[in-house]
Amino acid sequence: MIKAIGALLLRAAVVLLGTAILTFALLWNAPGDPAQTIAMARFDALLTDDVIDQIRDEVGLNTNFWHAFRAWLGPLLRFDFGYSAVTGRPVWPDLWTAMTYTFPLALAGLASGLALSLPLAILATKRPGGLLDRTSVAIASLGAAIPAYWLGLLLILLLAVQLGWLPAMGARTPAHAILPAVTLGLGVAASLTRIIRSGILEARGQPFLPAIRRRGVDGRAVARDHIAPHAAIPVVTVFGLELAFLLEGAVLIEVIFGRPGLGTFLVQAILSRDFPHVQAVVVLTALVFVVVNLAIDIIYRAIDPRIGTEDA
Amino acid sequence: MLKVTDLAVKRGSRVTLESITLSLPAGETLAVVGESGAGKSTLIAAILGLLKPAEGEITWNGKPARAARPALVMQEPRAAFNPALNLRRSVMEPIVAQGVALAAGRLERLCAGLEMPLDLLDRRPDQVSIGQAQRAGILRALIAAPPLVLFDEPLSALDAVTQKHTARLISELQAEEGFAALIVTHDLGYAVAHGDQIMVLKAGRVEETADANTFALTPQSPYCRTLRDAAISLGALEAAA
Amino acid sequence: MTLSVSGLSAVRSGRTILHPTSLEIPLQIRIGLVGSSGSGKSTLGHALIDDLRAQGHTVAHVPQSPDEALDPLRSMAFHWREAETALGLPPGSADQAGLFGALKIEGGDLSKRPWGWSRGMQQRFVIAMALIGNPDLIVLDEPTSALDPVVAAATMELLSAFLTGKDTAMILITHDLGLAARRVERLMVMDAGRLVETGRTEDILERPKTRAANALSTHRNWMVLPC
């Protein structure tokens, strides 16, 4: 177990380093002159070559790739993201503020997604193939087919504009988070419902269940102690994918609902060629991914220790 | 004649078979007995050419054994067939694959030998009994007249009465067709009743090789005596009072 | 006391797989329920268990393979506790040491999951679990067919020894009359969903009356070794 976790950690480190190199290389080789774009963003005017050269010097664009990469990576390892190329302010405080908006939103999305999909899946599996089951599968498939930005607009139109129940734009009060969280959650619920449903159905077909029931264990205990853990395995597996969906969804949703957060932060950074900002978001996202997937791998091994051993 | 000389098979760093030597003349039966994990199925895979030996060689009449196109009868009769095809299509596969002609009346003769009505072949694997499916598996193995047939636990999915019936049909067809049979089984009773020679494998090595009658009466090693006594205890073999 | 059931039957997708069957099982007896595959042995076994349970008797069941008895995600200790709870016993109250000793699995690590044990040990654990609380009857459905012969023989030997002198009756369901004949004093022969012949083991071995019993008796072993 310790050895396996060590191997997982090593893999995580390699993924992170790879992401860092790739991000840096992509931005370094992006078309156009970043110095000029930064100058535009900073001073909102076309400038002389002197000023642009000065910016190039200041931002570190006039050295070679590896030199610049090392100059960036060194501080990054100490969690120092450097300074914004546009505003000159340190990246971290702004990034942190963005995170405090996005992460709670993503978690709320995940929570509402689970809260919707779990009862729906359990209800659906009461009678597989029945009307309830087919309806919930149909709803889930429809939900998965609807893009988040369209659903978001639809919800704004209905609940904010027509009925006026909830605020739509901004992030002033917690109530402002409800619509974006529900929009995210519906997307999550669509895919989770199907996964949980098939997980439960497959778990119910496990060959040892009849004998355990015949031993006199009551149905509730069988569901809790034997069906649920088996059904959880595929659900845990897709959690990594759900996270990708959540972060990607959050970017869109923040822009639609006019909320600050990582999405808005990233879009602004890209438009103004603020390399340190873009790099910070990508590295942070990669870090979240790696940490979550690491946690999933460990949880996985806790549920089913056969995974990753020769017995599997 | 099948000849295996000093065969060793490795999987990764693990040795799964070591120093296996055997010879099996045409028309005879060698029963390979051992517990799960002893290397029985590995031996079959090596003879079929599915695993590359780390050492030693496997020949049929001096040429590499796989050139003789040994046939295989598998353990799980139904799983051995494509469920979407009727048995006739599946049974004819070796003929089609090898591009050989089917001798007139051969299918009918084999079916009669296996006590299978011909119209059974028009059914799919799930529409026949498990014993019938296993006999169809034997039919498929024999249809292209292979000189060597490998049986991997051919009776383990069948009930006790069907086992004895199927084993007798295999022996009768062997007498007619003259193929060499290598039978892998965990059932010592089957091995001594239908084998000419017995080879006991334990942890990838040959524990003992002997002719069947000698083995049943006087197994040499303590392990082989344990195996024989277990067969008696389970009723597979009966000691005369 | 005698366990008795009457009028057991079963229908699956319109076909009668068990015709109405009644039988009596005295205490302490060991019975072999034998027949070809598809003859309805397991169906009768299950119907018997359900009926006797409904009458308030304790009946334990051991399926063919440990894969059909143990959850690979749950530890052996969990299974044990679960079995105790299902019988209404407080956890830890069953004579685990005694049962484990009788079945020679004292060395097993209960914190491991089933696949951390050998298959033979798993099956003996399942049998030990079935014997918790001295049931009135233990039904074993082909308990040895998934095991290697040496392990299978030892398991049957240990179980027979354990049951000797106990009140628990045993029904051994098997297609192999040779196996049953060495372990039971009475036989019940099934054919096509009907109980066609019952009697003392020696009688059925020597003078089978029905076609089914005759086939089972004729093919009960591979050969007789001259001694």
Side-chain angles (χ1 to χ4, degrees):
Chain A
M1 186 76 178
I2 306 270
K3 213 170 126 189
I5 291 175
L8 287 174
L9 280 172
L10 190 70
R11 204 175 65 191
V14 170
V15 169
L16 279 178
L17 185 70
T19 315
I21 295 178
L22 215 61
T23 321
F24 199 83
L26 277 173
L27 287 175
W28 187 266
N29 293 309
D33 184 354
Q36 207 156 25
T37 321
I38 291 167
M40 280 286 288
R42 235 186 243 187
F43 305 110
D44 205 13
L46 275 175
L47 296 152
T48 59
D49 286 353
D50 284 358
V51 179
I52 292 177
D53 278 345
Q54 198 191 325
I55 288 173
R56 193 169 284 139
D57 215 27
E58 179 197 317
V59 184
L61 287 167
N62 57 356
T63 60
N64 72 20
F65 174 79
W66 286 109
H67 188 268
F69 180 65
R70 276 204 305 275
W72 171 67
L73 189 66
L76 188 65
L77 292 178
R78 297 188 301 274
F79 237 68
D80 177 355
F81 287 94
Y83 296 88
S84 162
V86 176
T87 62
R89 286 167 14 107
V91 172
W92 176 246
D94 290 348
L95 185 66
W96 173 254
T97 311
M99 277 160 62
T100 57
Y101 282 101
T102 302
F103 285 174
L105 177 66
L107 282 180
L110 190 63
S112 57
L114 259 179
L116 276 168
S117 56
L118 197 62
L120 196 61
I122 292 173
L123 214 61
T125 51
K126 282 251 187 287
R127 263 190 48 221
L131 188 65
L132 210 57
D133 186 25
R134 277 179 290 155
T135 314
S136 66
V137 169
I139 293 174
S141 306
L142 192 69
I146 296 175
Y149 55 87
W150 191 75
L151 186 66
L153 290 176
L154 213 64
L155 288 177
I156 290 177
L157 206 63
L158 182 69
L159 295 171
V161 180
Q162 293 280 335
L163 299 168
W165 288 353
L166 288 165
M169 308 300 278
R172 266 179 300 115
T173 64
H176 280 86
I178 294 178
L179 272 185
V182 168
T183 310
L184 266 181
L186 284 172
V188 173
S191 68
L192 273 188
T193 304
R194 289 182 299 170
I195 304 276
I196 298 175
R197 175 185 170 274
S198 64
I200 293 176
L201 289 183
E202 201 174 311
R204 272 199 205 144
Q206 293 286 346
F208 52 83
L209 290 175
I212 286 179
R213 290 202 186 91
R214 198 160 284 129
R215 220 170 277 154
V217 181
D218 72 86
R220 196 175 283 261
V222 170
R224 185 189 62 222
D225 296 334
H226 299 288
I227 295 177
H230 282 268
I233 293 176
V235 179
V236 171
T237 312
V238 297
F239 247 67
L241 297 172
E242 288 301 324
L243 182 80
F245 174 85
L246 276 171
L247 286 177
E248 177 194 310
V251 169
L252 281 170
I253 296 242
E254 280 169 3
V255 174
I256 293 168
F257 286 90
R259 284 175 64 86
L262 282 178
T264 324
F265 186 89
L266 180 65
V267 170
Q268 270 166 15
I270 290 171
L271 291 178
S272 62
R273 293 285 176 117
D274 194 343
F275 283 8
H277 271 192
V278 177
Q279 284 158 352
V281 174
V282 174
V283 168
L284 182 78
T285 315
L287 185 70
V288 170
F289 257 90
V290 166
V291 168
V292 169
N293 278 298
L294 193 67
I296 286 174
D297 271 340
I298 293 169
I299 293 172
Y300 226 42
R301 270 158 228 262
I303 301 181
D304 189 354
R306 282 173 300 178
I307 290 160
T309 69
E310 265 186 60
D311 300 290
Chain B
M1 167 123 103
L2 174 72
K3 257 187 155 9
V4 175
T5 332
D6 278 325
L7 173 72
V9 175
K10 291 186 176 127
R11 279 191 178 163
S13 57
R14 227 155 41 95
V15 178
T16 51
L17 281 180
E18 206 174 1
S19 325
I20 308 288
T21 295
L22 63 88
S23 59
L24 170 60
E28 288 203 7
T29 300
L30 169 70
V32 180
V33 182
E35 301 188 345
S36 17
K40 307 189 297 286
S41 297
T42 310
L43 177 61
I44 284 202
I47 295 172
L48 286 170
L50 302 174
L51 285 174
K52 220 174 119 55
E55 287 162 36
E57 48 176 18
I58 305 170
T59 59
W60 175 262
N61 295 341
K63 295 196 217 61
R66 57 182 307 183
R69 289 181 178 269
L72 173 67
V73 176
M74 287 184 257
Q75 181 168 8
E76 287 297 330
R78 288 214 177 90
F81 285 101
N82 181 338
L85 298 183
N86 69 22
L87 291 172
R88 188 184 300 272
R89 286 274 301 276
S90 293
V91 160
M92 287 306 195
E93 265 167 10
I95 294 284
V96 177
Q98 297 177 29
V100 293
L102 179 66
R106 178 168 178 79
L107 181 68
E108 291 73 12
R109 208 178 59 247
L110 287 174
C111 275
L114 287 164
E115 298 177 7
M116 265 176 79
L118 273 173
D119 59 347
L120 215 62
L121 293 178
D122 296 321
R123 300 196 196 165
R124 286 196 314 269
D126 59 326
Q127 294 167 326
V128 299
S129 74
I130 194 132
Q132 288 166 334
Q134 187 56 307
R135 280 181 276 152
I138 296 165
L139 176 62
R140 173 169 63 181
L142 298 183
I143 192 88
L148 171 63
V149 184
L150 310 174
F151 296 85
D152 189 358
E153 302 277 7
L155 309 180
S156 63
L158 311 178
D159 69 37
V161 174
T162 318
Q163 281 180 353
K164 276 98 185 175
H165 183 205
T166 310
R168 181 172 57 79
L169 296 177
I170 293 174
S171 292
E172 286 169 4
L173 274 173
Q174 187 183 12
E176 248 173 66
E177 298 260 316
F179 57 83
L182 185 139
I183 299 176
V184 154
T185 177
H186 64 267
D187 188 341
L188 190 65
Y190 175 34
V192 297
H194 287 269
D196 298 304
Q197 306 170 68
I198 309 285
M199 186 170 96
V200 176
L201 284 184
K202 189 189 177 198
R205 289 172 163 274
V206 178
E207 176 80 9
E208 194 166 328
T209 308
D211 83 74
N213 290 323
T214 318
F215 184 90
L217 292 175
T218 51
Q220 295 302 306
S221 74
Y223 175 69
C224 291
R225 276 198 290 278
T226 312
L227 279 185
R228 201 255 329 245
D229 294 346
I232 292 173
S233 169
L234 293 171
L237 291 172
E238 208 166 300
Chain C
M1 191 180 68
T2 302
L3 305 173
S4 67
V5 292
S6 57
L8 296 179
S9 66
V11 177
R12 190 176 298 158
S13 39
R15 218 166 54 87
T16 306
I17 52 172
L18 177 64
H19 294 274
T21 304
S22 304
L23 47 102
E24 307 233 310
I25 307 158
L27 277 185
Q28 293 189 339
I29 200 161
R30 284 175 284 188
I31 304 177
L33 180 53
V34 294
S36 62
S37 42
S39 60
K41 318 182 284 291
S42 296
T43 311
L44 176 56
H46 292 160
L48 183 73
I49 293 171
D50 293 343
D51 194 274
L52 287 173
R53 287 238 176 102
Q55 295 177 34
H57 298 292
T58 51
V59 187
H61 174 249
V62 176
Q64 188 172 114
S65 124
D67 299 340
E68 292 169 24
L70 301 170
D71 183 342
L73 299 187
R74 290 300 187 167
S75 70
M76 295 310 232
F78 180 91
H79 283 102
W80 189 268
R81 247 190 345 264
E82 185 182 59
E84 286 176 327
T85 314
L87 288 167
L89 302 170
S93 61
D95 177 19
Q96 191 183 65
L99 287 167
F100 276 28
L103 289 159
K104 295 215 161 58
I105 47 172
E106 306 98 319
D109 180 352
L110 284 168
S111 68
K112 284 193 171 164
R113 292 167 169 84
W115 39 271
W117 289 37
S118 74
R119 286 180 77 71
M121 297 257 296
Q122 289 179 43
Q123 187 68 333
R124 287 185 211 173
F125 176 87
V126 174
I127 294 173
M129 211 161 50
L131 292 168
I132 293 176
N134 293 317
D136 300 328
L137 172 68
I138 179 170
V139 177
L140 302 118
D141 195 347
E142 306 279 7
T144 57
S145 62
L147 305 178
D148 277 316
V150 174
V151 177
T155 302
M156 287 312 295
E157 204 64 56
L158 292 168
L159 176 66
S160 296
F162 177 84
L163 288 178
T164 305
K166 299 268 191 313
D167 279 346
T168 303
M170 172 181 97
I171 291 185
L172 176 62
I173 300 177
T174 176
H175 61 79
D176 188 348
L177 182 56
L179 173 75
R182 295 182 59 92
R183 302 287 164 203
V184 301
E185 50 256 38
R186 283 187 76 79
L187 288 169
M188 304 193 290
V189 181
M190 286 206 73
D191 186 30
R194 279 176 219 277
L195 206 54
V196 292
E197 196 169 337
T198 59
R200 287 177 36 213
T201 302
E202 315 82 277
D203 294 344
I204 290 185
L205 288 183
E206 280 154 32
R207 292 175 296 279
K209 293 188 198 72
T210 55
R211 194 184 52 83
N214 187 46
L216 287 167
S217 175
T218 314
H219 296 299
R220 68 175 182 270
N221 60 45
W222 283 101
M223 65 190 286
V224 178
L225 300 174
C227 276

